[in-house]
């Protein structure tokens, strides 16, 4: 288990409990059951207290936790007959974006998401979930395919933002993001988006301009990262805590602003402590959202989507 900075008191308690059990394994005559169980109860209480009122910056840390389930884990657990589709038919296949045709509760769907990777090798392969233009153009191609065959589109968002490299800019990064956002708005099929970790900048908006947007309880969604915001406003990336508060990037803030339609409760201690429980909760939320809009006609879906974002802008200005 990787502990975050604010989890250090918890790490000490759980470490002591593990030390006791390690001693007992070495000496079978030693009975530490009562002491270890007391420490477990203390750790459980500490965990609940820590996660009861997380700050915006602490939620950013949880959203970025390397042990949180990523896109591939959700696809493996929630979808059947998944057939990955690769390439943008113009330049290359971007491994930061994965997607394909699958079945969700035996219903054919198109699933698209950002994949960060789970270790050094896969993180480099997937570019830490930061898509290049060909990733967004692949997503456009898959959304076009879904629209043609009447397949609902489900997107799983988890990205620090679009890749800012020179090559990506030369190949039209901003145009690709804009086209993907435009495609989301024009789809005549249900579009459901779930922010499973980070929803960073236009790289997230390009997948999340949806009929229904859900966020995991400790996920974040913002126009810029707190570090980037602090660097621009205060010329000091260390002011990321103040920036995180000002950005109003938590699921709870965004639900008030009308950006997030629902918050998906996470296990105590975050999705990283009980991945299967978190994945199951996301599956139930997707099922509920599909039921809400699954029977709407194409014109109604487009109108619903556009009205949602018009209302969102009004709420944002009022706030």
């Amino acid at each position: 288990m990787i502990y975050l900075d604010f989890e250090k008191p918890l790490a000490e308690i759980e470490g002591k409990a593990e030390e006791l059990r390690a001693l007992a394994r070495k000496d079978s005559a030693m009975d530490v059951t009562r002491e270890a169980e007391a420490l477990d109860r203390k750790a459980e209480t500490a965990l609940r207290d820590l996660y009861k009122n997380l700050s915006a910056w602490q939620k950013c840390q949880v959203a970025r936790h390397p042990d949180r389930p990523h896109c591939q884990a959700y696809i493996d657990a929630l979808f059947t007959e998944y057939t990955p589709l690769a390439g943008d038919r113009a330049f290359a296949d971007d491994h930061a974006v994965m997607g394909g045709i699958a079945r969700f509760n035996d219903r054919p769907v198109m699933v698209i998401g950002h994949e960060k990777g789970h270790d050094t090798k896969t993180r480099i392969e997937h570019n830490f979930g930061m898509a290049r233009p060909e990733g967004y153009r692949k997503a456009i191609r898959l959304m076009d395919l879904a629209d043609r065959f009447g397949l609902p589109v489900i997107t799983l968002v988890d990205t620090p933002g679009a890749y800012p490299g020179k090559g990506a800019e030369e190949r039209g990064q901003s145009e690709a993001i804009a086209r993907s956002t435009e495609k989301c708005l024009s789809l005549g099929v249900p579009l459901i988006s779930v922010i499973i970790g980070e929803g960073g900048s236009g790289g997230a908006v390009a997948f999340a301009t949806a009929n229904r947007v859900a966020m995991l309880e400790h996920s974040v969604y913002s126009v810029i990262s707190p570090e980037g915001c602090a660097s621009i406003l205060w010329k000091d990336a260390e002011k990321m805590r103040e920036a995180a508060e000002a950005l109003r990037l938590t699921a709870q803030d965004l639900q008030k602003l009308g950006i997030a339609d629902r918050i998906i409760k996470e296990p105590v201690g975050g999705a990283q402590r009980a991945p299967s429980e978190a994945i199951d909760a996301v599956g139930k939320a997707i099922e509920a959202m599909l039921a809400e809009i699954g029977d709407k006609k194409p014109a109604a879906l487009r109108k619903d989507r556009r009205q949602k974002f018009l209302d969102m802008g009004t709420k944002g200005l009022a706030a």
Side-chain angles (χ1 to χ4, degrees), residues 127-142:
N127 201 34
F128 300 87
M130 294 185 291
R132 297 175 172 88
E134 45 273 21
Y136 296 107
R137 290 175 182 138
K138 172 166 71 173
I140 292 167
R141 184 172 74 83
L142 299 190

Side-chain angles (χ1 to χ4, degrees), residues 299-319:
L301 287 166
R302 293 188 190 99
K303 184 178 178 181
D304 172 87
R305 204 177 296 128
R306 289 175 180 273
Q307 190 60 49
K308 172 183 169 60
F309 290 95
L310 283 171
D311 292 344
M312 184 191 303
T314 304
K315 281 188 179 180
L317 288 171

